[in-house]
Amino acid sequence: MNLYSHGSIAVRSLTVDDAGLLLKWLSDKDVLEYYGGRDQPYNFEKVEKHFYERARDITQCIIEFEGHAIGYIQFYLISEEERQEYGYGDFNGNIHGMDQFIGEVEYWNKGIGTDLVKSMVNYLLTHEKAEKIVMDPQAWNERALRVYEKCGFVKKKYLKEHEWHEGQYRDCWIIEYEGKHNK
């Protein structure tokens, strides 16, 4: 089922038939350099556990470009624990977290990620009534940070040693998109 379409991009619900795609993407060293770590390739068991046995309420989706599945995107209401850690303890509004990757590397550096993030932000603001949207990219990932800033996200909080990646804890930025009705 399509969540939405925007130009050449469509975002649809993840299905059990997508496990092979996730395995392909998350065993690719180029993808893992940015998502998960090259020392943590996935196998079918890990795909099953990570994407199909989750307890949290996460909307999981496949990204399609011109009808071809090219990546993964998810969104969710952030937890109370994340609100505290990220500095939103006093904010009572609707805050969504978002994560994504393009798994087909031949689609990198073509502006698709920018279009995807902009269209998902619009979807979350209009259909999910998000007031803020947050992500926590690793601080060294300047390419991703440039894309997110181009899409209207701003750096809000620096988290030291926040995420385990390739044998060490990496620093991350909490970045935020604030809905226009809040400004």
Side-chain angles (χ1 to χ4, degrees):
M1 175 181 89
N2 267 8
L3 204 60
Y4 72 86
S5 295
H6 176 78
S8 297
I9 295 173
V11 174
R12 65 168 174 81
S13 298
L14 179 73
T15 69
V16 294
D17 294 335
D18 295 319
L21 287 170
L22 293 169
L23 178 62
K24 174 188 172 196
W25 297 332
L26 294 171
S27 58
D28 182 306
K29 297 281 187 201
D30 292 329
V31 175
L32 288 171
E33 180 178 358
Y34 299 97
Y35 193 92
R38 292 168 287 194
D39 61 340
Q40 298 293 319
Y42 280 62
N43 57 29
F44 271 116
E45 181 180 320
K46 192 171 177 181
V47 166
E48 180 73 24
K49 184 174 182 165
H50 186 84
F51 292 95
Y52 296 100
E53 295 178 6
R54 291 191 176 190
R56 278 177 62 179
D57 290 324
I58 298 174
T59 302
Q60 300 171 294
C61 301
I62 293 293
I63 305 157
E64 294 182 347
F65 183 77
E66 296 179 346
H68 302 288
I70 65 164
Y72 172 83
I73 190 164
Q74 65 183 22
F75 62 88
Y76 47 91
L77 287 169
I78 68 169
S79 68
E80 186 58 39
E81 180 180 306
E82 289 167 319
R83 282 176 175 264
Q84 296 302 321
E85 181 181 8
Y86 297 172
Y88 295 104
D90 293 334
F91 184 77
N92 293 322
N94 187 344
I95 306 173
H96 275 79
M98 184 170 96
D99 307 288
Q100 63 280 317
F101 65 85
I102 294 177
E104 299 291 341
V105 297
E106 65 269 18
Y107 289 88
W108 290 4
N109 301 314
K110 297 183 183 303
I112 297 167
T114 301
D115 290 343
L116 170 69
V117 171
K118 285 179 179 178
S119 66
M120 181 54 78
V121 163
N122 183 58
Y123 175 84
L124 291 174
L125 294 174
T126 58
H127 296 282
E128 299 294 326
K129 307 303 181 209
E131 296 174 56
K132 295 179 186 288
I133 303 163
V134 296
M135 292 189 276
D136 62 348
Q138 293 181 15
W140 65 268
N141 193 347
E142 294 177 12
R143 182 176 74 175
L145 286 164
R146 279 193 304 275
V147 167
Y148 302 146
E149 288 173 334
K150 190 184 335 180
C151 294
F153 283 82
V154 295
K155 293 175 181 170
K156 288 303 226 180
K157 185 176 181 182
Y158 195 79
L159 299 177
K160 296 285 289 170
E161 300 178 346
H162 177 66
E163 184 172 88
W164 185 258
H165 185 82
E166 298 191 345
Q168 63 183 333
Y169 281 99
R170 303 288 181 114
D171 300 346
C172 293
W173 275 105
I174 295 302
I175 59 172
E176 172 192 293
Y177 185 98
E178 186 170 11
K180 291 176 178 52
H181 58 278
N182 292 326
K183 292 184 180 179

